Amino acid sequence: MNQENLISVGQLYKLLEDKISYRTLAEARVYWEQLEGSEYMQGSEVDFHNLSILFYQFDDYASALNIATKGLELFPSDKDLLADSILYLVCLGKLNEVESLYEKIYNTPKSLWTWRCFAFLIKFCLSRKDTSVSLDEALTYLDRALELTLDYQKYHPNDDRAYLQERDIRQAKIKILREKGESEKEEEEAIDNALLKACNFDGLFLPNIALEYAEHLMSKHRAKHALDMCLFVYNNIHFGETVNYARASYLIALAQSTLVLEDIENAKVEDVLSVYTHFANVIKTADKNRNRDEAIHYCRLLAERTDIAVPDELQAYIS
């Protein structure tokens, strides 16, 4: 790229968006360095964000941070660029350089925060937890992360990540509480609620969180409740392409298998055939994984226990 052809940060992003790969990353850096030192380094805050994220996606955290920093020189209060910078510093292990950026975001009204503000500040707290020198210090950072997560849910209630983050943080707290020999009962109960509050049939209902909750219910031997949750997701096509229907189908079969085997004497043909149907997609895939192995296991077990044959289309896979 010639100097005279460089117009803006936005143009560079569009140029690199389709071309960047590990093979052209060095070339992309040259393009940025050429633009950085020119009079053409101009663009919107979104342009700087997009370009920095592009380098981040290929693990070039230093270049990503450099771009976000240049953006902040022009747009010092932009929430996404501040949050981006925190993310890149965490990835580079420069946690001590985060505090001033953290405070700059934290001292603004949370109603103005983007999802990145919440997510990347939480990531920083969790990184601090990982480098803590004591269990008490680790708990302090987990509590800070949890506070941010609950606000994340308040201001971005439709973001699946906020609820999964709460679950993961509470699980981390339980691990530390066990190490300290302290009661974990309150956190155990809160994990249920972390997902359940986003699976309210009469209110907020996030279908992918419902599937996470269904899997949690399965681990608690509550297959009937898990099945109801999965069927509700699977049978409501208005949820659209954001839903992992393949996962819903797999969990339906898993829950139905459990229920059939628990009451084998009263097994219904339609229930067993439903299991075979839902397991078919995961069994026929070319990828070998735990779910596929589990599906084959349950199909064999049901065929043996109920004398209801597996459909011909699956015989070659399970025999």
Side-chain angles (χ1 to χ4, degrees):
M1 179 186 296
N2 296 323
Q3 182 81 13
E4 59 268 20
N5 293 331
L6 285 172
I7 296 177
S8 68
V9 173
Q11 184 200 35
L12 180 58
Y13 167 71
K14 290 176 181 177
L15 174 70
L16 297 179
E17 185 181 19
D18 294 329
K19 290 179 63 178
I20 194 167
S21 70
Y22 284 110
R23 290 174 296 176
T24 63
L25 187 55
E27 182 184 5
R29 288 196 194 102
V30 171
Y31 289 164
W32 162 247
E33 290 166 3
Q34 192 177 21
L35 177 60
E36 181 185 10
S38 78
E39 61 185 280
Y40 300 103
M41 198 190 71
Q42 54 188 283
S44 68
E45 53 268 64
V46 174
D47 291 333
F48 280 95
H49 162 74
N50 286 341
L51 187 60
S52 73
I53 286 292
L54 188 147
F55 278 88
Y56 164 77
Q57 289 171 340
F58 287 88
D59 301 331
D60 186 356
Y61 308 131
S63 295
L65 178 61
N66 186 17
I67 294 164
T69 300
K70 292 296 181 182
L72 284 172
E73 291 176 4
L74 298 174
F75 308 100
S77 298
D78 184 72
K79 299 295 188 299
D80 278 338
L81 287 173
L82 288 166
D84 291 342
S85 299
I86 289 175
L87 172 65
Y88 308 147
L89 285 167
V90 169
C91 291
L92 290 167
K94 298 180 177 181
L95 300 184
N96 291 334
E97 298 181 29
V98 171
E99 293 292 349
S100 60
L101 297 171
Y102 183 102
E103 292 300 323
K104 193 166 184 178
I105 294 177
Y106 194 81
N107 291 330
T108 61
K110 291 186 176 67
S111 59
L112 301 178
W113 290 21
T114 66
W115 71 264
R116 293 181 181 87
C117 295
F118 289 102
F120 299 164
L121 264 63
I122 291 168
K123 185 177 180 67
F124 166 67
C125 290
L126 296 179
S127 295
R128 278 297 197 195
K129 183 269 295 184
D130 291 338
T131 60
S132 296
V133 296
S134 69
L135 294 177
D136 287 336
E137 183 183 5
L139 278 176
T140 296
Y141 281 112
L142 282 174
D143 284 334
R144 283 176 63 178
L146 183 59
E147 177 189 351
L148 288 167
T149 301
L150 296 177
D151 284 334
Y152 190 176
Q153 295 169 7
K154 177 180 178 181
Y155 292 103
H156 298 272
N158 294 312
D159 192 329
D160 292 355
R161 292 165 292 192
Y163 304 93
L164 299 177
Q165 191 75 79
E166 181 187 352
R167 177 200 61 188
D168 294 344
I169 290 170
R170 292 192 183 280
Q171 287 174 339
K173 286 191 69 175
I174 287 172
K175 183 177 179 180
I176 292 178
L177 290 171
R178 286 175 181 168
E179 289 186 54
K180 288 170 60 67
E182 297 180 8
S183 174
E184 62 203 55
K185 182 179 180 181
E186 183 177 337
E187 294 298 332
E188 287 278 12
E189 293 174 350
I191 285 179
D192 271 351
N193 187 55
L195 300 179
L196 182 58
K197 60 189 169 186
C199 308
N200 186 341
F201 289 109
D202 297 318
L204 177 66
F205 191 94
L206 303 180
N208 286 316
I209 296 298
L211 297 182
E212 289 284 345
Y213 185 58
E215 195 158 357
H216 175 71
L217 290 171
M218 290 295 296
S219 72
K220 298 294 183 180
H221 308 292
R222 297 168 62 187
K224 180 61 172 69
H225 193 175
L227 178 60
D228 291 342
M229 189 72 69
C230 292
L231 286 172
F232 183 80
V233 172
Y234 190 79
N235 292 326
N236 280 271
I237 59 173
H238 69 273
F239 288 136
E241 295 180 358
T242 60
V243 177
N244 187 342
Y245 285 102
R247 186 183 184 196
S249 182
Y250 170 75
L251 289 173
I252 287 170
L254 198 60
Q256 285 182 324
S257 299
T258 301
L259 293 170
V260 168
L261 291 169
E262 285 176 352
D263 189 17
I264 200 70
E265 298 298 326
N266 296 307
K268 297 178 181 179
V269 173
E270 58 265 32
D271 289 340
V272 177
L273 293 179
S274 175
V275 171
Y276 295 155
T277 298
H278 282 290
F279 271 150
N281 289 333
V282 69
I283 290 175
K284 290 190 288 185
T285 183
D287 298 328
K288 293 184 178 180
N289 55 46
R290 180 182 174 183
N291 288 354
R292 184 176 186 271
D293 292 342
E294 199 163 27
I296 290 173
H297 166 74
Y298 274 109
C299 285
R300 287 172 176 166
L301 193 60
L302 286 173
E304 177 186 329
R305 298 277 184 88
T306 66
D307 290 327
I308 300 172
V310 173
D312 293 341
E313 62 175 324
L314 294 181
Q315 285 291 350
Y317 296 93
I318 70 170
S319 58

